Amino acid sequence: MAQSAPAADSANPQEFAVTQQLMQNARVAMREIASDDQARIDELVTAVAWSLYKPENARRMAELAVEDTGIGNVDDKIIKNQRKTFGALRDLLRAKTVGIIEDDPDRGLVRYAKPVGVVAAVTPSTNPAATPVNKAMMALKGANAIIIAPSPAGWNTTNATVELMRGALERVGAPANLVQLLPAPVSRSMTQLLMQQADLVVTTGSQNNVRSAYSSGTPAIGVG
């Protein structure tokens, strides 16, 4: 049975305050892009993708990931950071996600896209740079904001990656708070609070993480 979101007095007050502030920041940022057209949204997605794809950034995040987690090797991480990001960008730019996405005059039907809301993204230590960027690209493609709950082991890398994305958004005139990160030390209880307050949860990781997402009371998509 899905769990309901905790009341403020039943959760850790400090963690509750942190997640509440992140959610408020995200909703304010979403309102700032609510009227953006498809071309503008695609500009934001491309900016975020390029922030990791740039060769110097792809290498730096790969080196940091191996240093932080002890998983994999730098050359393979560079390939992951670039190819996965470019492939996702190529597919995303082909899709309509803003405004009218289908007009069928024969049936008198018009389909409009609208944002889901604030996305909570749980990401693994195995890909602490590529996975957050790809999840952020997908959230932004629908004019959503995203808050990332990284694996504690990969927090340093994910934090550096999020700073790259936030900087890229600011350079194209978009609010940095479209992409945010849970602060260290990331705890299971704080991640659970985030999932319960978000509008959608996307989780990549262990079976326990996926089960936790599915039992959060929030619509969730998980793989692990």
Side-chain angles (χ1 to χ4, degrees), residues 44-54 81 85-86 89 133 137:
L44 306 189
V45 174
T46 302
V48 165
W50 184 245
S51 74
L52 179 62
Y53 185 86
K54 290 174 67 174
N81 288 345
T85 302
F86 181 80
L89 177 64
V133 168
M137 291 164 60

Side-chain angles (χ1 to χ4, degrees), residues 158-178:
T158 304
N159 179 54
T161 302
V162 167
E163 288 304 310
L164 289 176
M165 290 191 279
R166 288 170 61 86
L169 289 170
E170 288 182 327
R171 283 191 291 275
V172 296
N177 283 338
L178 288 168

Side-chain angles (χ1 to χ4, degrees), residues 26-175:
R27 296 198 190 283
V28 170
M30 282 185 63
R31 287 197 290 271
E32 292 186 38
I33 64 167
S35 61
D36 287 355
D37 61 15
Q38 188 70 70
R40 174 58 171 165
I41 292 298
D42 287 348
E43 182 183 17
L44 306 189
V45 174
T46 302
V48 165
W50 184 245
S51 74
L52 179 62
Y53 185 86
K54 290 174 67 174
E56 61 270 31
N57 291 345
R59 171 168 289 279
R60 182 161 65 91
M61 293 304 102
E63 291 171 345
L64 190 56
V66 173
E67 178 183 337
D68 282 345
T69 68
I71 299 172
N73 62 75
V74 171
D75 289 342
D76 286 347
K77 294 288 187 186
I78 293 172
I79 292 171
K80 186 82 168 182
N81 288 345
Q82 291 191 307
R83 290 186 183 176
K84 182 176 178 65
T85 302
F86 181 80
L89 177 64
R90 176 194 59 203
D91 292 342
L92 287 171
L93 292 181
R94 294 171 177 170
K96 292 182 178 180
T97 56
V98 175
I100 296 175
I101 59 173
E102 183 180 347
D103 188 354
D104 188 344
D106 292 337
R107 294 190 294 165
L109 296 176
V110 179
R111 293 179 63 202
Y112 291 84
K114 68 175 185 177
V116 169
V118 180
V119 178
V122 181
T123 60
S125 59
T126 49
N127 288 299
T131 299
V133 168
N134 279 257
K135 288 186 186 296
M137 291 164 60
M138 294 172 192
L140 290 171
K141 181 66 178 182
N144 304 290
I146 188 168
I147 303 170
I148 298 167
S151 162
W155 189 89
N156 287 333
T157 304
T158 304
N159 179 54
T161 302
V162 167
E163 288 304 310
L164 289 176
M165 290 191 279
R166 288 170 61 86
L169 289 170
E170 288 182 327
R171 283 191 291 275
V172 296

